[in-house]
Amino acid sequence: HAHGRVLPSQFADENQGSMGVCDNGIASPWPPCFQFRKFRSVCETSKLCFTMGGCGPTDKPTLRSRVMLTATVVSFLCFLLQLIPVISISSDTQVVKDTHWIKGRGDFIDPSGARQDATLYISVDAIVVEVGNGTQVTRKWSGVDCNLAQCQSCKDSAADTIITAIMSLVTSIPQITTDIQRSTLAGDLNCQRTLGMVTAIFGFITTIIAIRTFINKCGDEFAEDVVYPDGSRATNTKYQFGPSLICLTIATFLKFFDFACNFVIKTPSLKRGDMADSLFALPFGKLQEKLEDAEQGIEKVDGATGNVIHTQPDSKTPHHNPNNGHHGQPRMVSVSQV
């Protein structure tokens, strides 16, 4: 018990058993840079940060944990999906075939003029042509001689898409850590919420543009006739999406889901007020307790004095202490200066 009341975790243990990580979130200390007050004054406790932290529908603690942990799981799924496009950055024949971005089916004409059915596997670093007799020809994009402007456009787009694939995977890591950070009241930060939303929507838009460009240049508008340095060519080719393109597309739309989760949950009210900076002086556990009090209405701030007023919840709340001798109305038990 603290301040003469039952803590949420204690109440759960005594009456319902442990609420578990889904209701409590995952405790994650603040990044080291938040030890510096000047940094906090710019990136956490400025009016802009307060505005960004508070523009959302709810900051309900239990909903926070469930929404942000769901976002964490989805972000981890994004990370796994985005591994495939990064693995595809290879000129190895089997890797290109297994992780291709676009696959085309058409005819292959060798230097002697013989024609066979062929499958063209297009990746961002190389292409593989597999003909009906089992022969496979692998070429890095740098060695492909395109005789049409459309082929050159695909070649250029493939080089640009390598950067997109890598950056999408890299940004998934802070996306996961931000979702975990925001799953608890104490761990949540105005700057993390802002970065979570900005990076998610920015990543969504830029990746969608890159995907759309790649599809246009290497699918819809790609040349039906590709000539290689040895005189062979792939012709009359029709195209369809491959594993890397599908995985990256799914992961990109899941990033928008992460944006929505970060937007729905705003930061705790005490982290958007005059006392926000002083909260960083508290140990993580004590801060979590204080923020839980504020969200449940057990702890209020006197606007005139700046004092924190601790009150006992009434008998209708789940955190009622039957020994306090008061029913139906809050009872003030202590006042402390923050």
Side-chain angles (χ1 to χ4, degrees), residues 34 36-51 189-191 270-280:
F34 281 84
F36 303 99
R37 188 169 186 175
K38 288 186 177 180
F39 178 87
R40 298 198 303 266
S41 67
V42 175
C43 299
E44 179 63 18
T45 58
S46 65
K47 290 184 178 180
L48 176 61
C49 292
F50 288 167
T51 300
L189 296 166
N190 294 311
C191 78
L270 285 184
K271 291 195 172 185
R272 290 179 272 111
D274 294 338
M275 299 190 309
D277 192 68
S278 66
L279 297 177
F280 286 92

Side-chain angles (χ1 to χ4, degrees), residues 258-323:
D258 186 76
F259 163 81
C261 289
N262 276 279
F263 174 76
V264 166
I265 304 299
K266 58 185 178 182
T267 56
S269 56
L270 285 184
K271 291 195 172 185
R272 290 179 272 111
D274 294 338
M275 299 190 309
D277 192 68
S278 66
L279 297 177
F280 286 92
L282 297 174
F284 193 90
K286 289 291 184 182
L287 177 57
Q288 177 71 17
E289 178 184 314
K290 177 182 286 291
L291 294 171
E292 286 175 352
D293 285 348
E295 299 303 319
Q296 295 160 8
I298 298 173
E299 180 170 288
K300 297 182 181 297
V301 179
D302 187 319
T305 66
N307 289 341
V308 176
I309 304 173
H310 304 286
T311 62
Q312 188 69 26
D314 63 30
S315 58
K316 296 180 181 180
T317 66
H319 303 295
H320 166 62
N321 185 344
N323 298 321

